[in-house]
Amino acid sequence: MTATTPPTPTSPRAWTMLALGVGAQAAGTLVVTAPALLIPSLHADGTPLPVAGLLAAAPTFGMVLTLIAWGAITDRIGERVVIAGGLALTTIAAVGAWAAAGDPVLLGLAFLAGGMTSASTNAASGRVVVGWFPKERRGLAMGIRQMSQPLGVTLAALTVPQLAEASSIRAALVLPVVLCAVLAACCAVGITDPPRPACAAVATVPANPYRSDGFLWRVHAVSVLLVVPQFTLSTYGLVWLVGLGWSTPAAGLLVGASQFVGAVGRILVGVWSDRVGSRVGPLRVVAVGAAAVMGLLALVDVTHLAAGAVFLVIATSVTVADNGLAYTSVAEAAGPYWSGRALGAQNTGQFIAASAVGPGVGALVTTVGFAASFGIVAVLPLLALPLVPRVDRSSD
């Protein structure tokens, strides 16, 4: 790659790269999220809740297996090939899930493969944003990029439960197949790898940022703890609402709406971090908020408040707000030659925790109920607070 100056944040090319990055990860997120939204249908067909939760966790476990590898490949060969090629493989995995519907073992393997391949979009699409936008606009840009996950969840929530209930699991898996195929083609044609300094222009080989201090390790640990409330709500929010008397289609619509509100919230938090010139300061505030809203949901479940749906929307919005902050912080601290691996490690830790949420929280809910489960989950953001670094670190 040649040493060039990144375009201004209003450059059409920069915004095109951002749009494609958002679309790519939204498509991957749709594949990863769909199994969780099939839990009511699987459970109604006689699948025990912990087993259905295990199927829902299969894609995130698959991502854990490959995230760092995809990041290392991205550092070596660039973003375009990784994103487009990964989505093409995800399309094949989604077709496999469609064909395997009805066989829990094969379906679980297909979900696992979908997670392994869709992980390509995580680190690579984040690098696209960091590479094309300057530091003073990365909070906004990464906030928009981080909309991809809640947008993917929203799309899944609006389609998967309704199609599964009205028709079949296979019908619910058609959209993931089509969307991944279309985005793979668009990214292959439209993505340009971001400019970065040529290796010859660097005085020394960039040092391993993990050996300089504990900054990256601390941000990774914070994100692991904060991702549990987020995945608890995205995995079991639908089940909780159905237990409160909501129909599955109506609950799916509400879960989708809450994810959309959360997507907008990520942009606002990103702009906030740009204006205050810090990622870790707002991250600390979000951690406090996550503990508060999970505790509030526990209270709502105990008291059966009529406005429980409103509190779910608020809780979902708060618990997804940390992702963009931590992601941007990791990318800035790691630098252009380590960000792929660092972002892969960031997501690996998160998805290890997320993989445990499906069966773990499912077993917890079965044993002690939703109120106690929400209360236990509320403790984790409080444990994250002392781990948040006091000051930011950047390689710029």
Side-chain angles (χ1 to χ4, degrees), residues 36-51:
L37 295 168
L38 291 172
I39 289 178
S41 295
L42 292 168
H43 193 44
D45 291 340
T47 304
L49 189 58
V51 175

Side-chain angles (χ1 to χ4, degrees), residues 6-335:
T8 63
T10 54
S11 164
R13 176 176 288 185
W15 292 109
T16 298
M17 298 306 105
L18 177 58
L20 288 172
V22 169
Q25 191 167 358
T29 299
L30 174 60
V31 172
V32 172
T33 304
L37 295 168
L38 291 172
I39 289 178
S41 295
L42 292 168
H43 193 44
D45 291 340
T47 304
L49 189 58
V51 175
L54 187 61
L55 285 174
T60 53
F61 180 70
M63 296 182 77
V64 168
L65 297 177
T66 58
L67 275 164
I68 295 178
W70 280 118
I73 294 170
T74 305
D75 285 336
R76 182 172 294 273
I77 68 174
E79 292 80 356
R80 182 177 67 86
V81 173
V82 169
I83 294 175
L87 279 178
L89 293 174
T90 305
T91 303
I92 296 173
V95 171
W98 178 88
D103 186 323
V105 175
L106 293 179
L107 187 62
L109 291 174
F111 287 158
L112 178 71
M116 293 174 68
T117 54
S118 67
S120 60
T121 63
N122 286 62
S125 63
R127 274 181 52 113
V128 166
V129 172
V130 173
W132 282 104
F133 285 81
K135 183 178 180 180
E136 64 273 13
R137 297 300 297 275
R138 283 180 195 152
L140 168 62
M142 193 65 82
I144 295 174
R145 182 264 180 190
Q146 290 289 63
M147 285 181 66
S148 57
Q149 185 178 28
L151 286 177
V153 174
T154 298
L155 183 58
L158 294 177
T159 59
V160 171
Q162 290 81 353
L163 289 172
E165 185 174 89
S167 182
S168 65
I169 290 177
R170 281 186 172 176
L173 294 173
V174 171
L175 180 60
V177 171
V178 173
L179 190 61
C180 285
V182 170
L183 264 297
C186 291
C187 291
V189 173
I191 286 182
T192 301
D193 291 342
R196 60 177 178 170
C199 290
V202 181
T204 59
V205 177
N208 185 339
Y210 286 96
R211 296 176 180 173
S212 59
D213 58 33
F215 183 91
L216 287 173
W217 292 112
R218 292 178 68 174
V219 175
H220 292 337
V222 169
S223 296
V224 165
L225 292 169
L226 293 183
V227 82
V228 176
Q230 174 188 336
F231 272 79
T232 295
L233 297 182
S234 64
T235 303
Y236 287 105
L238 182 74
V239 180
W240 182 63
L241 288 172
V242 170
L244 293 180
W246 288 61
S247 68
T248 298
L253 289 173
L254 182 68
V255 170
S258 67
Q259 290 292 328
F260 180 78
V261 173
V264 175
R266 288 184 175 187
I267 297 178
L268 297 178
V269 170
V271 172
W272 173 30
S273 73
D274 283 339
R275 291 190 175 180
V276 300
S278 173
R279 315 300 179 197
V280 297
L283 184 60
R284 189 174 294 107
V285 175
V286 170
V288 174
V293 294
M294 291 306 299
L296 186 59
L297 274 184
L299 180 63
V300 168
D301 188 73
V302 169
T303 58
H304 302 288
L305 290 178
V310 175
F311 291 107
L312 179 65
V313 173
I314 295 172
T316 299
S317 302
V318 173
T319 56
V320 302
D322 65 284
N323 287 50
L325 297 171
Y327 210 75
T328 307
S329 181
V330 166
E332 290 177 342

